[in-house]
Amino acid sequence: MRPSDRHPLDSLSDREREVLACVLDGHTYTSAARLLGLSPHTVDTYMRRIRAKAGVTQRMQLLRLAMTDTLGEGGGGAAETRGQASPERR
């Protein structure tokens, strides 16, 4: 795999992935910190590092990257599946 083929979130550490998952699940920095046994300042530091590694500035951009990371390439992003029922709803 060429470096340009890597997903922007591939370089995250395990702890960074944990913090990102909590925040993307809707936790505030304070509640994510409590859940992970960290201080809110540490969660903020992790989120700044994550955004820098991913090359984004906003939480929604991270959500989009995380979704493409989870779905995989060609896995049916929002633009590709708009208007289609999920398999569970058919």
Side-chain angles (χ1 to χ4, degrees):
M1 176 183 293
R2 296 176 303 178
S4 62
D5 291 340
R6 294 187 63 190
H7 192 277
L9 299 181
D10 287 347
S11 63
L12 298 183
S13 70
D14 290 341
R15 193 59 154 175
E16 288 167 338
R17 287 181 179 277
E18 277 184 291
V19 170
L20 179 59
C22 283
V23 172
L24 294 178
D25 280 344
H27 288 277
T28 63
Y29 287 11
T30 302
S31 66
R34 196 174 311 124
L35 183 68
L36 298 171
L38 303 170
S39 77
H41 177 75
T42 302
V43 171
D44 179 61
T45 299
Y46 274 120
M47 289 303 295
R48 280 188 274 121
R49 288 181 191 165
I50 292 165
R51 285 193 303 270
K53 285 181 178 183
V56 300
T57 57
Q58 298 177 1
R59 195 179 299 188
M60 287 304 293
Q61 292 169 310
L62 278 175
L63 175 60
R64 179 178 283 157
L65 285 174
M67 287 175 61
T68 59
D69 186 45
T70 300
L71 295 173
E73 291 193 22
E80 295 174 15
T81 59
R82 188 174 294 127
Q84 298 176 5
S86 68
E88 298 83 31
R89 299 176 114 178
R90 288 186 184 162

